[in-house]
Amino acid sequence: MNHYPEIHHLKNNPSLEGMAFLKSGIVYSTESGEELTLDLLLPWSVREPELSLKRYPLIVFVQGSAWTTPDRENEIPQLSAYAREGFVVATVGHRNYQSGYPFPTYLQDVKCAIRYLRKNADQYCIDPERVAIWGTSSGGKYGASGGIDRRGSTL
């Protein structure tokens, strides 16, 4: 009998299965003269990528920002559920119009982040052939635009 029902007992999990971790501030480009960064949520087994033979699908999430600088930390708690289920999740920072970077700069930044992640797929245990992109509000527009834009370099 549990005398304290408000206390939840955690299952013993010595393998740390279903756990995730955050790698933040990964620089994906310095081409513009400033560091553009992304954060990654990864399945726990990726903590030692050289020991992992498995490759995970990638979800690129673009936080809504009303076309300004996104607060990438905003959705980390919700997005971590995907990493615990076996996805690598990237939240992408980008330049914005308020700092003098008009359209399509933000779109170019998001596409650049995806190219970086595909190029470095082994380092992060990503399956470069299984990539999805989505976002909230203006970030959703970035995702949709990135998926259909065929100008310049490909994703």
Side-chain angles (χ1 to χ4, degrees), residues 32 34 95-103 105-106:
S32 67
E34 61 184 278
R95 295 170 289 169
N96 71 79
Y97 82 93
Q98 288 180 327
S99 298
Y101 298 102
F103 177 85
T105 304
Y106 63 82

Side-chain angles (χ1 to χ4, degrees), residues 58-119:
L58 171 65
I59 298 172
V60 178
F61 177 78
V62 186
Q63 174 67 42
S65 63
W67 313 111
T68 62
T69 302
D71 178 3
R72 294 193 324 263
E73 296 174 356
N74 201 31
E75 298 291 337
I76 294 294
Q78 294 81 340
L79 295 172
S80 65
Y82 292 103
R84 290 191 303 271
E85 292 296 323
F87 293 87
V88 174
V89 181
T91 61
V92 179
H94 55 77
R95 295 170 289 169
N96 71 79
Y97 82 93
Q98 288 180 327
S99 298
Y101 298 102
F103 177 85
T105 304
Y106 63 82
L107 180 57
Q108 293 164 340
D109 292 347
V110 171
K111 290 174 74 171
C112 179
I114 294 170
R115 285 191 300 276
Y116 168 85
L117 290 166
R118 282 188 160 151
K119 181 179 178 184

